[in-house]
Amino acid sequence: MTLLDAARRSSALPLMELCQAAHDRKLASGRPQTLALYEIEPPGLAETQSLHSDVVPVAVCCLDRIGHADLLHALACGFDVIYLQVCSASQAREHQRQEVELVRSLGGLGRIVLFDGAAGVDRRLAARLLPFPAVAPEVLAVGSRRDTARASAAALLPTSVGHAALPEQAPYGTVRLDNDLCNSCNSCVWVCPTDALSLTENAGALSFVESLCTQCGLCVSICPQRAMGLEPGMDLTAYAVLPSVLGKERKQAASGSAGPASGAAPDAGSEALQTYAAAAPLFSEHDLSSAPETRHTGRV
């Protein structure tokens, strides 16, 4: 059993060393890896670990400190499935549920399972029900936690998915602008805490960088014309880190692929994600099945 202090002050992701060790074991043995995170050890877990050495039980001091970036990185870099105990504190459960929903939307569907108390977790672990193997750990935890989450999602989701639709209140997304209502007061630019909004040098139009936007909503709340709105989601293409003019469609890239325009209808990538989500069960009846092709590793 490993003890993890998730509340420690460190720039490193708390699960990083466990991910690397899991990957090394997978390379050596070819066996899938399962991570079990809990505050209160469920009965039968020790016996399950003795039968299946690839189940890694980790006692966490504060489960609510394990966020979507940690979980996505663990799934992209070594672990095939994560069993996550429901937070014991009732006030933390809604936040945990939102984080897990975000992970499932960004490539963790069928890979992360919440359990409450003992609730048969030992039987589930012993059954070794796994959806598909994890990708290789080429996703480095560099930059911010948002950068790590984005890189992990790009590795986990199929290559055909260029845009992932996310639930409401997600901290990723774009800003919609109604040019007919906008009076160019620029109030939104001055209140944006991350500089996701700025002014273009020439025409003074609104420029937006999706990867910087936290969907805080300050721009929407301050707009006197009610010309702005939020749209949760994650652009997995290169357009996410490039500035674009709000209210105008992005120009098509030289390769022929276009980034999602603000307020545009879902693209083929969104449809592919919906198909992927509908087809992927929470558990598979087989130990392992084929993984969807990913941007980063090809088929694994």
Side-chain angles (χ1 to χ4, degrees), residues 4 44 83 92 104 108 142 148 150 157 236 268 280 282 286 293-294:
L4 184 67
Y83 283 80
R104 288 171 174 164
V142 294
T148 300
R150 186 178 296 275
L157 288 167
L236 298 170
L282 180 60
H286 305 284
E293 185 179 350
T294 61

Side-chain angles (χ1 to χ4, degrees), residues 186 189 197-208 243-245:
N186 302 327
V189 174
L197 289 169
S198 60
L199 296 175
T200 58
E201 293 183 3
N202 299 327
L206 279 177
S207 177
F208 175 72
S244 62
V245 177

